[in-house]
Amino acid sequence: MSALHAEWTKLRTAGDLGRLLLLAVALTAAVGCGTVKAVKCPDTGCGQDAVRLALTGVTVGQAVVAILAVLAVSGEYGTGMIRTTLMAMPDRTTVFAAKAAVLTAVVLAAGTAAVAASLLGGRLILPGSGFTEAHGYAPLSLADGPTLRAAVGSVLYLVLVALLGLGVATAVREAATAIGIVLGLLYVFPVVAQVVNDPEWQRHLQQLSPMPAGLAVQATVHLDALPIGPWAGLGVLGAWAATALLVGGLLLRGRDA
């Protein structure tokens, strides 16, 4: 408990990290609302996934979450506070687990707020854009199973992105490098997949890419057209995050602070 309290205190008193959390919520909701406002569904129907449109902002908010996670670790290395932390709590595994637990809790809370705001915005805006029951679109509601899965999955997606950032930052220590690696995995990997000419290889790369695979959990229609299933895709991102945490944890234990 003392390790959790210490990590919570450090995170809570870091002003920049608090502002980043608020920015992640605001950006996620704003981009989602902007997207559903911009898309129109004509009388003939549009075949769009309304839930996924409302949750589009997650693709932007995740960058802020990743940066927050990296700074939560690299800041301690930059100031030398990590030595003080490890002197007070010599068990490095406990320290690392506490960091992961506190980061998970705060991103879980922020992600829930961001996703809830996005869906509420979608519920209010989508009917005015033509997404009405007459066109086959019921109002967005968490009582709908696929919508609930997309919402919960989006929150878990943001948590896993944060844990990926935590693991990478612990492994490389330096903020700019860690941010570059994490954002590259999230945004560059899908671009590489798109420029591959072979459809089969393109599909395989999408199945392995953290963002396209992980965000499959947001899909509520045309699931058979996805390169990977919703929960399986989130599992791919989970595997990336687990690998990063394992490498980061092992390096934290095996080298000098």
Side-chain angles (χ1 to χ4, degrees):
M1 287 299 294
S2 59
L4 287 172
H5 184 266
E7 293 303 325
W8 164 242
T9 300
K10 283 186 286 186
L11 193 65
R12 178 173 55 83
T13 55
D16 289 343
L17 297 185
R19 285 191 286 271
L20 282 173
L21 276 175
L22 292 175
L23 179 61
V25 174
L27 272 179
T28 301
V31 172
C33 290
T35 301
V36 297
K37 183 71 173 177
V39 176
K40 303 297 180 182
C41 185
D43 293 341
T44 55
C46 52
Q48 294 273 10
D49 188 333
V51 176
R52 200 163 193 175
L53 286 174
L55 295 173
T56 301
V58 171
T59 61
V60 178
Q62 67 176 345
V64 183
V65 168
I67 292 170
L68 180 149
V70 168
L71 294 180
V73 176
S74 62
E76 281 198 84
Y77 279 105
T79 61
M81 184 181 287
I82 189 66
R83 297 186 182 89
T84 304
T85 297
L86 296 178
M87 286 179 62
M89 185 69 64
D91 188 340
R92 298 187 177 200
T93 300
T94 299
V95 171
F96 192 54
K99 286 183 182 296
V102 170
L103 183 64
T104 295
V106 297
V107 174
L108 194 63
T112 299
V115 168
S118 298
L119 290 176
L120 177 60
R123 181 183 175 90
L124 296 174
I125 297 170
L126 281 168
S129 298
F131 291 82
T132 62
E133 292 191 66
H135 294 163
Y137 291 96
L140 299 187
S141 171
L142 293 178
D144 175 61
T147 302
L148 179 61
R149 184 251 300 150
V152 172
S154 294
V155 175
L156 294 176
Y157 176 90
L158 290 172
V159 170
L160 290 172
V161 167
L163 294 176
L164 174 64
L166 176 69
V168 171
T170 306
V172 304
R173 300 183 178 184
E174 207 277 323
T177 302
I179 290 171
I181 292 172
V182 177
L183 296 186
L185 286 173
L186 292 175
Y187 295 109
V188 177
F189 207 143
V191 173
V192 173
Q194 290 298 322
V195 300
V196 173
N197 292 325
D198 189 311
E200 192 64 24
W201 272 104
Q202 187 179 84
R203 184 178 180 86
H204 289 322
L205 287 172
Q206 289 174 335
Q207 290 170 338
L208 293 173
S209 179
M211 185 168 74
L215 288 180
V217 78
Q218 293 183 340
T220 61
V221 298
H222 309 308
L223 299 186
D224 55 341
L226 295 172
I228 191 169
W231 289 118
L234 196 64
V236 170
L237 176 59
W240 279 94
T243 301
L245 288 172
L246 178 61
V247 172
L250 290 175
L251 289 174
L252 178 64
R253 290 188 59 180
R255 68 188 178 191
D256 294 334

